[in-house]
């Protein structure tokens, strides 16, 4: 396929952009019988992260200042986003030493990040609460459980309805819709609370996506319907937030957040490898 595209870039139904290349790769993998190649790693990392969840939210809850607490939550999302087996270098680090979530939080590159709207977001956060947020999640393990869920829980506590949009089918180590439902059910207590916060306004939606990137023009009808009245959209992870939707314009407030884990992406943005992107745009 690559040889054909070198001769004629449009030979596989369009320009060879990130989405098309990912789609072709997934097709080939599935044709050869590789459906969920990281299942075992995902299950192990999810179990590890679930055992740390209470401690992570407790540390956040101890921060009294609203602005400082949300900054800590955002740092947690970026630190969790390191668990990405789509990055060869990081996959090697995992295989060798594993990865400590707390150490990752403390070792984020210094601010200002390559795109850094955190201060603007913090000032908005202290003045405004959102009715309904849609969060496109990324990887299994620490990413979704210790990064995204504590942030979602904080939104719930402030009265926001939260929809977590997860992939329909497996791709790399991204969390899938059925896996995320199972994780949340395990983390909730008998009263349906998430570490003491009422989670009745937390929904998981099937995004209809089967790639580590996302084309927002073709999400599932169910997600399109649920997102219709959202006033905050969060895209998380290098594939969805940076490689395919960094400049996507939303009709509501939006956050694009992720860590830069490929040298080519760092070069494109003019930043460092493992730099962070936090792009906040108001409606």
């Amino acid at each position: 396929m690559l040889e054909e595209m070198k001769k004629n870039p449009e030979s596989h139904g369009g320009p060879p952009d990130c989405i098309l290349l990912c789609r072709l790769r997934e097709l080939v993998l599935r044709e050869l019988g590789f459906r969920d190649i990281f299942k075992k790693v995902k299950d192990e990392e999810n179990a590890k992260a679930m055992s740390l969840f209470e401690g992570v939210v407790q540390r956040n809850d101890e921060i009294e200042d609203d602005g400082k607490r949300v900054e800590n939550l955002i740092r947690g999302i970026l630190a969790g986003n390191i668990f990405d087996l789509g990055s060869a270098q990081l996959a090697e680090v995992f295989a060798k030493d594993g990865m400590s979530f707390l150490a990752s939080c403390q070792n984020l590159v210094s601010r200002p990040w390559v795109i850094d709207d955190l201060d603007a977001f913090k000032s908005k956060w202290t003045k405004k609460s959102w009715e309904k947020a849609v969060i496109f999640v990324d990887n299994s393990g620490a990413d979704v459980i210790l990064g995204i869920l504590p942030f979602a829980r904080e939104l719930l506590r402030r009265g926001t309805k939260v929809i977590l949009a997860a992939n329909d089918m497996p791709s790399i180590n991204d969390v899938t819709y059925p896996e995320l439902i199972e994780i949340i059910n395990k983390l909730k207590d008998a009263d349906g609370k998430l570490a003491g916060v009422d989670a009745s306004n937390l929904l998981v939606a099937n995004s209809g996506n089967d790639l580590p990137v996302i084309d927002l023009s073709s999400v599932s009808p169910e997600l399109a319907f649920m997102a219709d009245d959202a006033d905050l959209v969060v895209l998380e992870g290098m594939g969805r937030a940076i490689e395919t939707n960094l400049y996507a314009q939303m009709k509501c407030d939006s956050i694009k957040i992720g860590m830069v884990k490929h040298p080519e992406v760092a070069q494109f943005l003019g930043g460092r490898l493992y730099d962070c992107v936090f792009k906040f745009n108001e409606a």
Side-chain angles (χ1 to χ4, degrees), residues 48-63 72-73 101-102 105 145-147 150 153 157 187 194-196:
K48 247 188 276 182
M50 282 193 275
S51 71
L52 298 170
F53 177 75
E54 293 277 339
V56 168
V57 293
Q58 198 180 334
R59 266 196 304 278
N60 277 308
D61 289 354
E62 284 163 6
I63 302 172
N72 201 51
L73 287 161
F101 176 72
L102 201 60
C105 282
I145 296 166
L146 306 179
R153 173 180 171 271
R157 198 210 309 252
L187 288 174
L194 209 50

